[in-house]
Amino acid sequence: MHDTRHTCASLLAALDVHPRIAMQILRHSEIAVTMEVYTHVPSADTRRALRKLGEALGGGSQKKGEKSQQEGEDMDGRPES
């Protein structure tokens, strides 16, 4: 379980999630615990590997010319109600 928390914290940092949000997700009471103990800033090589992993798992497989789903839209591009 401990390794999963490290992975989660590091992935959130790689995705540029605000540290306070990461702290809430990980249920830490202090930001220092999140940032100094659990978060490992990935190198460029790590980011490339994570991108490949995401693509292999079905994420980021958007084809050229396809529009990504925008926040506030449903899967068909209509505004969410």
Side-chain angles (χ1 to χ4, degrees):
M1 184 67 162
H2 185 73
D3 288 340
T4 304
R5 292 174 66 80
H6 279 274
T7 301
C8 181
S10 296
L11 287 172
L12 291 169
L15 294 169
D16 296 323
V17 172
H18 192 278
R20 291 270 178 203
I21 301 299
M23 180 185 89
Q24 291 174 349
I25 291 170
L26 295 165
R27 313 280 291 166
H28 292 152
S29 61
E30 297 181 26
I31 193 74
V33 172
T34 305
M35 299 308 295
E36 294 173 17
V37 177
Y38 282 91
T39 305
H40 308 283
V41 179
S43 67
D45 290 334
T46 304
R47 285 182 182 262
R48 276 193 293 279
L50 289 172
R51 195 172 301 115
K52 285 183 179 182
L53 177 61
E55 290 169 2
L57 295 173
S61 60
Q62 182 176 332
K63 295 177 185 172
K64 277 189 174 180
E66 285 184 352
K67 181 182 165 192
S68 64
Q69 182 181 351
Q70 299 293 317
E71 189 173 327
E73 292 181 349
D74 66 12
M75 295 301 287
D76 295 320
R78 294 181 294 231
E80 290 180 337
S81 47

